């Protein structure tokens, strides 16, 4: 039996949009990881590549949102409008975290959104993408499509792909699980200094009554006192700004983690003993076998995970467990920022020169940052590790594609 995996990293610039499609027999499974861009012309690019994906399928089986930065979610409404989406995975946020996220983005507090993950996602996406259209009611589209919204916690959750009806009857049921999508959220670890101080000052500026109401998840109380809470937050921003030479970020102050996504062979599958994995990498469409082992054909999405911290790298290694030996391609966290990078991260995937392929989605022309992504030190670490590095930008020629053909023997 032949199985084909196609992975696309679309050139949308400062943001991220990727898809993976697994075709086996007459079946196809589609997974999307993030959809957003803040580059100049980013909305147009998102439209272009959403349509590109739409030409191959009408359904997205799994949409994983790594975190709630605008450059990772401001294209989600486009997906909901053009695809039948079965399941959306979002980061788990406590009531306190949701509150900080909305305050940081200067989005009015909404009682319904604070009470329900589905409404929170819809409210957040509608708030950051308010462009005029005939139908921009994200929530209504979710309700009509009966999309399942799941909050990713710290434990590893796997979504196995089965070979229903394709294998001989004598094959044990567990062998049918030939591929999996596994996701989990890293623990926050040590917060960034500025962000940590901001949260501490915010808590200090809340009265005991307000703090207790938030900690008790009293949603109605929070909503009724939203003006007082917002004032405490603004005061905290001013206080922390005075302690730093650089401006305190007023958007997304609570973004300590990202949903990690593994896409690769399932642990219980033993049918990969003899096959030929070939990867076709755009834009040149050349053929390259897996660099590590014959089963290293998996993929790892990292969002903006804080992988500069040793604790987070240790936790990532524990949760990936056996999966890290099957990974062929990784996304470089936070567009190649050295604030989210440590050389220990790439060393998880081998130290013998058989490095993984590293994809950084960024726009060096984007003026949102003093130092454009990716940072030279990150690229240097990757090159020193003998790992191929690819920048996916706004240039059409930077479109990165992998095609892997697997021949299953039994």
């Amino acid at each position: 039996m032949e199985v084909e995996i196609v992975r696309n990293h679309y050139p949308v610039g400062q943001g991220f949009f990727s898809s993976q499609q697994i075709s086996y027999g007459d079946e196809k499974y589609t997974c999307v990881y993030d959809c957003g861009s803040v580059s100049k012309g980013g909305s147009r690019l998102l439209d272009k590549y959403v349509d590109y994906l739409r030409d191959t399928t009408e359904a997205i089986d799994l949409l994983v949102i790594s975190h709630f930065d605008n450059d990772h979610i401001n294209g989600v409404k486009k997906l909901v409008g053009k695809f039948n989406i079965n399941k959306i995975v979002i980061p788990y946020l406590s009531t306190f975290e949701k509150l900080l996220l909305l305050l940081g983005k200067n989005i009015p507090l909404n009682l319904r959104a604070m009470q329900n993950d589905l409404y929170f996602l819809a409210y957040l996406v509608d708030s950051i993408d308010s462009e005029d259209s005939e139908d921009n009611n994200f929530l209504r589209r979710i309700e009509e499509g009966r999309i399942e919204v799941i909050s990713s916690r710290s434990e590893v959750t796997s979504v196995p792909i089965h070979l229903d009806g394709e294998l001989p009857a004598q094959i044990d049921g567990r062998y049918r699980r030939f591929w999996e999508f596994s996701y989990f959220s890293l623990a926050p670890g040590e917060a960034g200094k500025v962000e940590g101080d901001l949260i501490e000052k915010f808590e200090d500026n809340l009265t005991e009554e307000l703090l207790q109401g938030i900690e008790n998840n009293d949603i109605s109380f929070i909503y009724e006192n939203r003006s007082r809470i917002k004032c405490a937050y603004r005061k905290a921003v001013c206080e922390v700004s005075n302690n730093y030479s650089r401006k305190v970020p007023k958007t997304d102050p609570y973004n300590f983690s990202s949903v990690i996504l593994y896409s690769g062979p399932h642990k219980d599958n033993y049918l990969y003993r003899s096959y030929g994995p070939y990867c076709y990498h755009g834009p040149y469409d050349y053929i390259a076998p897996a660099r590590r082992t014959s089963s290293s054909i998996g993929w790892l999405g990292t969002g903006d995970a804080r992988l500069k911290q040793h604790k987070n790298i240790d936790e990532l290694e524990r949760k990936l467990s056996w999966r890290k030996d099957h990974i062929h391609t990784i996304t470089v966290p936070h567009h190649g920022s050295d604030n989210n990078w440590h050389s220990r991260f790439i060393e998880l995937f081998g130290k013998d020169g058989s490095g993984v392929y590293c994809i950084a989605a960024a726009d060096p022309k984007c003026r949102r940052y003093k130092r454009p992504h990716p940072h030279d030190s990150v690229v240097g670490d990757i090159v020193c590790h003998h790992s191929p590095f690819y920048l996916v930008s706004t240039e059409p020629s930077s479109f990165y594609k992998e095609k892997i053909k697997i021949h299953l023997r039994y």
Side-chain angles (χ1 to χ4, degrees), residues 10 12-18 33-39 42 46 65-76 105 128 251-252 255 258 303-304 333-335 361-363 366 368-369 373:
Y10 303 104
V12 297
Q14 195 70 28
F16 200 80
F17 179 28
S18 73
Y33 187 71
D34 287 343
C35 185
S37 173
V38 293
S39 285
L46 289 171
I65 297 174
S66 66
H67 62 295
F68 293 122
D69 269 357
N70 291 12
D71 59 338
H72 290 254
I73 66 170
N74 64 9
V76 169
K105 291 183 179 292
I128 67 170
T251 59
D252 196 15
N255 180 30
S258 286
D304 283 6
H334 201 181
H335 320 288
D363 181 1
C366 185
R368 294 169 62 92
Y369 310 97
H373 298 143

mmCIF file of all heavy atoms in Angstrom, residues 10 12-18 33-39 42 46 65-76 105 128 251-252 255 258 303-304 333-335 361-363 366 368-369 373:
data_model
loop_
_atom_site.group_PDB
_atom_site.id
_atom_site.type_symbol
_atom_site.label_atom_id
_atom_site.label_comp_id
_atom_site.label_asym_id
_atom_site.label_seq_id
_atom_site.Cartn_x
_atom_site.Cartn_y
_atom_site.Cartn_z
ATOM 1 N N TYR A 10 3.505 27.812 3.807
ATOM 2 C CA TYR A 10 3.133 28.840 2.851
ATOM 3 C C TYR A 10 3.871 30.152 3.108
ATOM 4 O O TYR A 10 4.017 30.572 4.274
ATOM 5 C CB TYR A 10 1.622 29.074 2.904
ATOM 6 C CG TYR A 10 0.823 27.827 2.651
ATOM 7 C CD1 TYR A 10 0.190 27.156 3.711
ATOM 8 C CD2 TYR A 10 0.711 27.287 1.373
ATOM 9 C CE1 TYR A 10 -0.543 26.001 3.487
ATOM 10 C CE2 TYR A 10 -0.023 26.132 1.136
ATOM 11 C CZ TYR A 10 -0.647 25.491 2.198
ATOM 12 O OH TYR A 10 -1.364 24.336 1.982
ATOM 13 N N VAL A 12 3.757 33.396 3.752
ATOM 14 C CA VAL A 12 2.887 34.502 4.154
ATOM 15 C C VAL A 12 3.642 35.530 4.986
ATOM 16 O O VAL A 12 3.042 36.455 5.532
ATOM 17 C CB VAL A 12 1.652 33.984 4.933
ATOM 18 C CG1 VAL A 12 0.806 33.090 4.047
ATOM 19 C CG2 VAL A 12 2.067 33.249 6.214
ATOM 20 N N GLY A 13 4.950 35.381 5.127
ATOM 21 C CA GLY A 13 5.760 36.387 5.805
ATOM 22 C C GLY A 13 5.786 36.247 7.300
ATOM 23 O O GLY A 13 5.905 35.138 7.837
ATOM 24 N N GLN A 14 5.681 37.389 7.998
ATOM 25 C CA GLN A 14 5.781 37.404 9.454
ATOM 26 C C GLN A 14 4.502 36.830 10.051
ATOM 27 O O GLN A 14 3.528 37.518 10.291
ATOM 28 C CB GLN A 14 6.016 38.832 9.960
ATOM 29 C CG GLN A 14 6.490 38.905 11.399
ATOM 30 C CD GLN A 14 7.916 38.398 11.559
ATOM 31 O OE1 GLN A 14 8.727 38.467 10.638
ATOM 32 N NE2 GLN A 14 8.220 37.890 12.742
ATOM 33 N N GLY A 15 4.523 35.561 10.271
ATOM 34 C CA GLY A 15 3.368 34.820 10.752
ATOM 35 C C GLY A 15 3.630 33.347 10.573
ATOM 36 O O GLY A 15 4.788 32.910 10.553
ATOM 37 N N PHE A 16 2.560 32.590 10.415
ATOM 38 C CA PHE A 16 2.747 31.171 10.158
ATOM 39 C C PHE A 16 1.471 30.583 9.596
ATOM 40 O O PHE A 16 0.365 30.906 10.041
ATOM 41 C CB PHE A 16 3.135 30.415 11.438
ATOM 42 C CG PHE A 16 3.801 29.089 11.151
ATOM 43 C CD1 PHE A 16 5.135 29.037 10.819
ATOM 44 C CD2 PHE A 16 3.081 27.909 11.186
ATOM 45 C CE1 PHE A 16 5.755 27.826 10.528
ATOM 46 C CE2 PHE A 16 3.685 26.698 10.904
ATOM 47 C CZ PHE A 16 5.026 26.655 10.580
ATOM 48 N N PHE A 17 1.624 29.723 8.601
ATOM 49 C CA PHE A 17 0.508 29.003 8.003
ATOM 50 C C PHE A 17 1.081 27.760 7.350
ATOM 51 O O PHE A 17 1.873 27.850 6.420
ATOM 52 C CB PHE A 17 -0.207 29.887 6.978
ATOM 53 C CG PHE A 17 -1.368 29.230 6.264
ATOM 54 C CD1 PHE A 17 -2.108 28.220 6.857
ATOM 55 C CD2 PHE A 17 -1.724 29.646 4.984
ATOM 56 C CE1 PHE A 17 -3.179 27.626 6.204
ATOM 57 C CE2 PHE A 17 -2.798 29.073 4.317
ATOM 58 C CZ PHE A 17 -3.519 28.055 4.925
ATOM 59 N N SER A 18 0.711 26.603 7.871
ATOM 60 C CA SER A 18 1.203 25.353 7.293
ATOM 61 C C SER A 18 0.078 24.334 7.238
ATOM 62 O O SER A 18 -0.880 24.402 8.018
ATOM 63 C CB SER A 18 2.369 24.784 8.110
ATOM 64 O OG SER A 18 1.911 24.249 9.334
ATOM 65 N N TYR A 33 -1.741 23.975 10.881
ATOM 66 C CA TYR A 33 -1.114 24.523 12.096
ATOM 67 C C TYR A 33 -0.959 26.033 11.910
ATOM 68 O O TYR A 33 -0.163 26.482 11.082
ATOM 69 C CB TYR A 33 0.246 23.861 12.300
ATOM 70 C CG TYR A 33 0.957 24.199 13.602
ATOM 71 C CD1 TYR A 33 0.483 23.712 14.820
ATOM 72 C CD2 TYR A 33 2.127 24.947 13.602
ATOM 73 C CE1 TYR A 33 1.155 23.989 16.003
ATOM 74 C CE2 TYR A 33 2.811 25.221 14.783
ATOM 75 C CZ TYR A 33 2.319 24.740 15.979
ATOM 76 O OH TYR A 33 2.987 25.011 17.155
ATOM 77 N N ASP A 34 -1.775 26.793 12.621
ATOM 78 C CA ASP A 34 -1.761 28.253 12.593
ATOM 79 C C ASP A 34 -2.173 28.809 11.225
ATOM 80 O O ASP A 34 -2.059 28.135 10.197
ATOM 81 C CB ASP A 34 -0.394 28.813 12.984
ATOM 82 C CG ASP A 34 -0.114 28.686 14.461
ATOM 83 O OD1 ASP A 34 -1.079 28.480 15.222
ATOM 84 O OD2 ASP A 34 1.060 28.786 14.864
ATOM 85 N N CYS A 35 -2.633 30.047 11.251
ATOM 86 C CA CYS A 35 -2.972 30.741 10.006
ATOM 87 C C CYS A 35 -3.015 32.232 10.303
ATOM 88 O O CYS A 35 -4.004 32.740 10.831
ATOM 89 C CB CYS A 35 -4.316 30.259 9.449
ATOM 90 S SG CYS A 35 -4.735 30.973 7.843
ATOM 91 N N GLY A 36 -1.927 32.917 9.994
ATOM 92 C CA GLY A 36 -1.892 34.341 10.265
ATOM 93 C C GLY A 36 -0.667 35.003 9.661
ATOM 94 O O GLY A 36 0.323 34.341 9.335
ATOM 95 N N SER A 37 -0.736 36.335 9.501
ATOM 96 C CA SER A 37 0.393 37.100 8.979
ATOM 97 C C SER A 37 0.187 38.572 9.317
ATOM 98 O O SER A 37 -0.927 39.081 9.249
ATOM 99 C CB SER A 37 0.509 36.946 7.463
ATOM 100 O OG SER A 37 1.498 37.820 6.936
ATOM 101 N N VAL A 38 1.286 39.253 9.694
ATOM 102 C CA VAL A 38 1.238 40.691 9.932
ATOM 103 C C VAL A 38 2.173 41.429 8.980
ATOM 104 O O VAL A 38 2.465 42.604 9.181
ATOM 105 C CB VAL A 38 1.588 41.029 11.399
ATOM 106 C CG1 VAL A 38 0.516 40.513 12.342
ATOM 107 C CG2 VAL A 38 2.966 40.486 11.784
ATOM 108 N N SER A 39 2.630 40.740 7.941
ATOM 109 C CA SER A 39 3.455 41.392 6.930
ATOM 110 C C SER A 39 2.614 42.328 6.082
ATOM 111 O O SER A 39 1.387 42.202 6.011
ATOM 112 C CB SER A 39 4.118 40.345 6.023
ATOM 113 O OG SER A 39 5.180 39.703 6.681
ATOM 114 N N GLY A 42 -0.128 40.911 3.953
ATOM 115 C CA GLY A 42 -0.315 39.581 4.540
ATOM 116 C C GLY A 42 -1.699 39.012 4.308
ATOM 117 O O GLY A 42 -1.855 37.812 4.062
ATOM 118 N N LEU A 46 -2.554 35.467 2.626
ATOM 119 C CA LEU A 46 -3.367 34.444 3.278
ATOM 120 C C LEU A 46 -4.517 34.007 2.381
ATOM 121 O O LEU A 46 -4.809 32.811 2.265
ATOM 122 C CB LEU A 46 -3.902 34.972 4.614
ATOM 123 C CG LEU A 46 -2.881 35.133 5.739
ATOM 124 C CD1 LEU A 46 -3.509 35.865 6.916
ATOM 125 C CD2 LEU A 46 -2.339 33.777 6.186
ATOM 126 N N ILE A 65 -4.100 25.709 16.799
ATOM 127 C CA ILE A 65 -3.664 27.094 16.994
ATOM 128 C C ILE A 65 -2.624 27.098 18.102
ATOM 129 O O ILE A 65 -2.931 26.773 19.253
ATOM 130 C CB ILE A 65 -4.854 28.001 17.349
ATOM 131 C CG1 ILE A 65 -5.842 28.029 16.176
ATOM 132 C CG2 ILE A 65 -4.384 29.409 17.692
ATOM 133 C CD1 ILE A 65 -7.118 28.786 16.474
ATOM 134 N N SER A 66 -1.396 27.449 17.759
ATOM 135 C CA SER A 66 -0.309 27.342 18.735
ATOM 136 C C SER A 66 -0.474 28.336 19.881
ATOM 137 O O SER A 66 -0.234 28.002 21.032
ATOM 138 C CB SER A 66 1.043 27.538 18.049
ATOM 139 O OG SER A 66 1.177 28.865 17.562
ATOM 140 N N HIS A 67 -0.875 29.573 19.558
ATOM 141 C CA HIS A 67 -1.094 30.596 20.578
ATOM 142 C C HIS A 67 -1.874 31.731 19.929
ATOM 143 O O HIS A 67 -2.182 31.679 18.731
ATOM 144 C CB HIS A 67 0.221 31.085 21.176
ATOM 145 C CG HIS A 67 1.139 31.734 20.191
ATOM 146 N ND1 HIS A 67 1.709 31.065 19.129
ATOM 147 C CD2 HIS A 67 1.599 33.020 20.087
ATOM 148 C CE1 HIS A 67 2.466 31.879 18.426
ATOM 149 N NE2 HIS A 67 2.412 33.073 18.982
ATOM 150 N N PHE A 68 -2.197 32.748 20.704
ATOM 151 C CA PHE A 68 -3.157 33.749 20.244
ATOM 152 C C PHE A 68 -2.538 35.055 19.772
ATOM 153 O O PHE A 68 -3.192 36.091 19.774
ATOM 154 C CB PHE A 68 -4.173 34.033 21.361
ATOM 155 C CG PHE A 68 -5.059 32.859 21.674
ATOM 156 C CD1 PHE A 68 -5.099 32.328 22.957
ATOM 157 C CD2 PHE A 68 -5.844 32.280 20.692
ATOM 158 C CE1 PHE A 68 -5.923 31.245 23.252
ATOM 159 C CE2 PHE A 68 -6.670 31.200 20.977
ATOM 160 C CZ PHE A 68 -6.711 30.680 22.252
ATOM 161 N N ASP A 69 -1.280 35.046 19.341
ATOM 162 C CA ASP A 69 -0.715 36.219 18.705
ATOM 163 C C ASP A 69 -1.427 36.463 17.372
ATOM 164 O O ASP A 69 -1.765 35.513 16.656
ATOM 165 C CB ASP A 69 0.782 36.018 18.436
ATOM 166 C CG ASP A 69 1.642 36.505 19.586
ATOM 167 O OD1 ASP A 69 1.079 37.044 20.557
ATOM 168 O OD2 ASP A 69 2.872 36.328 19.528
ATOM 169 N N ASN A 70 -1.604 37.740 17.016
ATOM 170 C CA ASN A 70 -2.300 38.062 15.771
ATOM 171 C C ASN A 70 -1.659 37.417 14.551
ATOM 172 O O ASN A 70 -2.357 36.996 13.618
ATOM 173 C CB ASN A 70 -2.331 39.585 15.574
ATOM 174 C CG ASN A 70 -3.223 40.278 16.587
ATOM 175 O OD1 ASN A 70 -3.641 39.673 17.572
ATOM 176 N ND2 ASN A 70 -3.504 41.555 16.362
ATOM 177 N N ASP A 71 -0.331 37.331 14.538
ATOM 178 C CA ASP A 71 0.335 36.793 13.350
ATOM 179 C C ASP A 71 0.187 35.282 13.224
ATOM 180 O O ASP A 71 0.710 34.692 12.270
ATOM 181 C CB ASP A 71 1.816 37.193 13.338
ATOM 182 C CG ASP A 71 2.584 36.698 14.549
ATOM 183 O OD1 ASP A 71 1.952 36.416 15.580
ATOM 184 O OD2 ASP A 71 3.824 36.601 14.477
ATOM 185 N N HIS A 72 -0.518 34.668 14.163
ATOM 186 C CA HIS A 72 -0.784 33.233 14.060
ATOM 187 C C HIS A 72 -2.279 32.915 13.939
ATOM 188 O O HIS A 72 -2.633 31.767 13.681
ATOM 189 C CB HIS A 72 -0.203 32.497 15.272
ATOM 190 C CG HIS A 72 1.293 32.460 15.281
ATOM 191 N ND1 HIS A 72 2.021 31.328 15.000
ATOM 192 C CD2 HIS A 72 2.210 33.435 15.523
ATOM 193 C CE1 HIS A 72 3.320 31.605 15.081
ATOM 194 N NE2 HIS A 72 3.452 32.876 15.401
ATOM 195 N N ILE A 73 -3.133 33.923 14.146
ATOM 196 C CA ILE A 73 -4.574 33.612 14.130
ATOM 197 C C ILE A 73 -5.424 34.556 13.286
ATOM 198 O O ILE A 73 -6.615 34.310 13.113
ATOM 199 C CB ILE A 73 -5.169 33.580 15.548
ATOM 200 C CG1 ILE A 73 -5.131 34.975 16.195
ATOM 201 C CG2 ILE A 73 -4.482 32.553 16.415
ATOM 202 C CD1 ILE A 73 -5.917 35.049 17.499
ATOM 203 N N ASN A 74 -4.835 35.637 12.720
ATOM 204 C CA ASN A 74 -5.713 36.572 12.019
ATOM 205 C C ASN A 74 -6.187 36.077 10.657
ATOM 206 O O ASN A 74 -6.907 36.785 9.947
ATOM 207 C CB ASN A 74 -5.077 37.974 11.910
ATOM 208 C CG ASN A 74 -3.807 37.991 11.079
ATOM 209 O OD1 ASN A 74 -3.445 37.008 10.431
ATOM 210 N ND2 ASN A 74 -3.114 39.120 11.105
ATOM 211 N N GLY A 75 -5.807 34.868 10.289
ATOM 212 C CA GLY A 75 -6.342 34.264 9.069
ATOM 213 C C GLY A 75 -7.293 33.113 9.347
ATOM 214 O O GLY A 75 -7.798 32.478 8.408
ATOM 215 N N VAL A 76 -7.552 32.841 10.621
ATOM 216 C CA VAL A 76 -8.402 31.701 10.979
ATOM 217 C C VAL A 76 -9.822 31.878 10.442
ATOM 218 O O VAL A 76 -10.461 30.923 10.001
ATOM 219 C CB VAL A 76 -8.415 31.500 12.513
ATOM 220 C CG1 VAL A 76 -9.493 30.506 12.930
ATOM 221 C CG2 VAL A 76 -7.048 31.026 12.990
ATOM 222 N N LYS A 105 -4.626 43.045 24.678
ATOM 223 C CA LYS A 105 -4.977 43.367 23.291
ATOM 224 C C LYS A 105 -6.001 44.501 23.216
ATOM 225 O O LYS A 105 -6.475 44.833 22.125
ATOM 226 C CB LYS A 105 -5.530 42.119 22.600
ATOM 227 C CG LYS A 105 -4.484 41.032 22.375
ATOM 228 C CD LYS A 105 -5.089 39.847 21.628
ATOM 229 C CE LYS A 105 -4.042 38.773 21.372
ATOM 230 N NZ LYS A 105 -3.010 39.202 20.418
ATOM 231 N N ILE A 128 -9.944 40.781 16.369
ATOM 232 C CA ILE A 128 -8.695 41.181 15.713
ATOM 233 C C ILE A 128 -8.821 41.220 14.204
ATOM 234 O O ILE A 128 -7.967 41.767 13.523
ATOM 235 C CB ILE A 128 -7.533 40.245 16.104
ATOM 236 C CG1 ILE A 128 -7.755 38.838 15.536
ATOM 237 C CG2 ILE A 128 -7.325 40.216 17.591
ATOM 238 C CD1 ILE A 128 -6.553 37.952 15.689
ATOM 239 N N THR A 251 0.566 44.405 23.812
ATOM 240 C CA THR A 251 -0.241 43.329 23.237
ATOM 241 C C THR A 251 0.323 41.993 23.689
ATOM 242 O O THR A 251 1.534 41.808 23.785
ATOM 243 C CB THR A 251 -0.230 43.377 21.700
ATOM 244 O OG1 THR A 251 1.114 43.266 21.239
ATOM 245 C CG2 THR A 251 -0.832 44.674 21.207
ATOM 246 N N ASP A 252 -0.579 41.098 23.975
ATOM 247 C CA ASP A 252 -0.212 39.738 24.332
ATOM 248 C C ASP A 252 0.817 39.666 25.457
ATOM 249 O O ASP A 252 1.908 39.125 25.283
ATOM 250 C CB ASP A 252 0.332 39.003 23.105
ATOM 251 C CG ASP A 252 0.351 37.500 23.335
ATOM 252 O OD1 ASP A 252 -0.296 37.045 24.279
ATOM 253 O OD2 ASP A 252 1.018 36.794 22.577
ATOM 254 N N ASN A 255 1.852 35.300 27.187
ATOM 255 C CA ASN A 255 2.067 34.343 26.113
ATOM 256 C C ASN A 255 3.309 33.523 26.439
ATOM 257 O O ASN A 255 4.307 33.585 25.763
ATOM 258 C CB ASN A 255 2.242 35.080 24.777
ATOM 259 C CG ASN A 255 2.459 34.118 23.628
ATOM 260 O OD1 ASN A 255 1.979 33.001 23.643
ATOM 261 N ND2 ASN A 255 3.196 34.561 22.634
ATOM 262 N N SER A 258 3.245 27.742 24.012
ATOM 263 C CA SER A 258 2.599 27.460 22.740
ATOM 264 C C SER A 258 2.214 25.989 22.714
ATOM 265 O O SER A 258 2.816 25.161 23.399
ATOM 266 C CB SER A 258 3.548 27.753 21.570
ATOM 267 O OG SER A 258 3.700 29.141 21.361
ATOM 268 N N GLY A 303 5.437 26.820 17.282
ATOM 269 C CA GLY A 303 4.818 28.119 17.545
ATOM 270 C C GLY A 303 5.837 29.131 18.030
ATOM 271 O O GLY A 303 6.914 29.282 17.448
ATOM 272 N N ASP A 304 5.516 29.827 19.115
ATOM 273 C CA ASP A 304 6.448 30.779 19.742
ATOM 274 C C ASP A 304 6.916 30.253 21.098
ATOM 275 O O ASP A 304 7.116 31.021 22.045
ATOM 276 C CB ASP A 304 5.776 32.142 19.937
ATOM 277 C CG ASP A 304 5.680 32.943 18.646
ATOM 278 O OD1 ASP A 304 6.037 32.398 17.587
ATOM 279 O OD2 ASP A 304 5.220 34.100 18.695
ATOM 280 N N PRO A 333 11.294 28.066 16.560
ATOM 281 C CA PRO A 333 10.343 28.829 17.382
ATOM 282 C C PRO A 333 10.466 30.336 17.196
ATOM 283 O O PRO A 333 11.566 30.867 17.016
ATOM 284 C CB PRO A 333 10.692 28.404 18.818
ATOM 285 C CG PRO A 333 12.078 27.859 18.741
ATOM 286 C CD PRO A 333 12.208 27.261 17.382
ATOM 287 N N HIS A 334 9.303 30.982 17.234
ATOM 288 C CA HIS A 334 9.186 32.451 17.193
ATOM 289 C C HIS A 334 9.963 33.065 16.038
ATOM 290 O O HIS A 334 10.704 34.045 16.208
ATOM 291 C CB HIS A 334 9.632 33.057 18.518
ATOM 292 C CG HIS A 334 9.083 34.439 18.721
ATOM 293 N ND1 HIS A 334 9.378 35.191 19.839
ATOM 294 C CD2 HIS A 334 8.280 35.217 17.962
ATOM 295 C CE1 HIS A 334 8.775 36.355 19.756
ATOM 296 N NE2 HIS A 334 8.090 36.390 18.615
ATOM 297 N N HIS A 335 9.808 32.475 14.850
ATOM 298 C CA HIS A 335 10.349 33.058 13.612
ATOM 299 C C HIS A 335 11.872 33.196 13.633
ATOM 300 O O HIS A 335 12.438 33.992 12.875
ATOM 301 C CB HIS A 335 9.719 34.429 13.338
ATOM 302 C CG HIS A 335 8.262 34.502 13.645
ATOM 303 N ND1 HIS A 335 7.308 33.884 12.858
ATOM 304 C CD2 HIS A 335 7.569 35.078 14.663
ATOM 305 C CE1 HIS A 335 6.109 34.094 13.366
ATOM 306 N NE2 HIS A 335 6.240 34.799 14.475
ATOM 307 N N ALA A 361 9.695 30.749 9.571
ATOM 308 C CA ALA A 361 8.732 31.590 8.863
ATOM 309 C C ALA A 361 8.895 33.016 9.359
ATOM 310 O O ALA A 361 8.628 33.299 10.528
ATOM 311 C CB ALA A 361 7.314 31.091 9.098
ATOM 312 N N ALA A 362 9.332 33.918 8.495
ATOM 313 C CA ALA A 362 9.601 35.291 8.931
ATOM 314 C C ALA A 362 9.660 36.211 7.719
ATOM 315 O O ALA A 362 9.758 35.766 6.576
ATOM 316 C CB ALA A 362 10.913 35.360 9.714
ATOM 317 N N ASP A 363 9.616 37.495 8.006
ATOM 318 C CA ASP A 363 9.718 38.513 6.965
ATOM 319 C C ASP A 363 10.820 39.488 7.359
ATOM 320 O O ASP A 363 10.604 40.376 8.193
ATOM 321 C CB ASP A 363 8.380 39.246 6.824
ATOM 322 C CG ASP A 363 8.405 40.311 5.746
ATOM 323 O OD1 ASP A 363 9.454 40.468 5.092
ATOM 324 O OD2 ASP A 363 7.379 40.983 5.542
ATOM 325 N N CYS A 366 9.950 43.124 7.549
ATOM 326 C CA CYS A 366 8.929 43.596 8.481
ATOM 327 C C CYS A 366 9.546 44.580 9.467
ATOM 328 O O CYS A 366 10.585 44.300 10.076
ATOM 329 C CB CYS A 366 8.310 42.411 9.231
ATOM 330 S SG CYS A 366 6.940 42.863 10.320
ATOM 331 N N ARG A 368 8.259 45.715 12.296
ATOM 332 C CA ARG A 368 7.697 45.636 13.644
ATOM 333 C C ARG A 368 8.782 45.429 14.696
ATOM 334 O O ARG A 368 8.549 45.618 15.885
ATOM 335 C CB ARG A 368 6.695 44.478 13.724
ATOM 336 C CG ARG A 368 5.458 44.682 12.862
ATOM 337 C CD ARG A 368 4.650 43.398 12.786
ATOM 338 N NE ARG A 368 4.160 42.956 14.078
ATOM 339 C CZ ARG A 368 2.985 43.275 14.585
ATOM 340 N NH1 ARG A 368 2.164 44.065 13.909
ATOM 341 N NH2 ARG A 368 2.604 42.810 15.763
ATOM 342 N N TYR A 369 9.965 45.002 14.276
ATOM 343 C CA TYR A 369 11.018 44.655 15.225
ATOM 344 C C TYR A 369 12.299 45.412 14.872
ATOM 345 O O TYR A 369 12.598 45.640 13.688
ATOM 346 C CB TYR A 369 11.285 43.145 15.198
ATOM 347 C CG TYR A 369 10.029 42.317 15.334
ATOM 348 C CD1 TYR A 369 9.390 41.806 14.207
ATOM 349 C CD2 TYR A 369 9.469 42.060 16.576
ATOM 350 C CE1 TYR A 369 8.230 41.050 14.320
ATOM 351 C CE2 TYR A 369 8.311 41.316 16.697
ATOM 352 C CZ TYR A 369 7.697 40.814 15.566
ATOM 353 O OH TYR A 369 6.545 40.083 15.682
ATOM 354 N N HIS A 373 13.599 39.228 12.102
ATOM 355 C CA HIS A 373 13.747 37.785 12.212
ATOM 356 C C HIS A 373 14.116 37.199 10.840
ATOM 357 O O HIS A 373 13.715 37.748 9.827
ATOM 358 C CB HIS A 373 12.426 37.152 12.681
ATOM 359 C CG HIS A 373 11.981 37.611 14.033
ATOM 360 N ND1 HIS A 373 10.659 37.817 14.368
ATOM 361 C CD2 HIS A 373 12.699 37.918 15.157
ATOM 362 C CE1 HIS A 373 10.567 38.207 15.625
ATOM 363 N NE2 HIS A 373 11.789 38.288 16.118
#
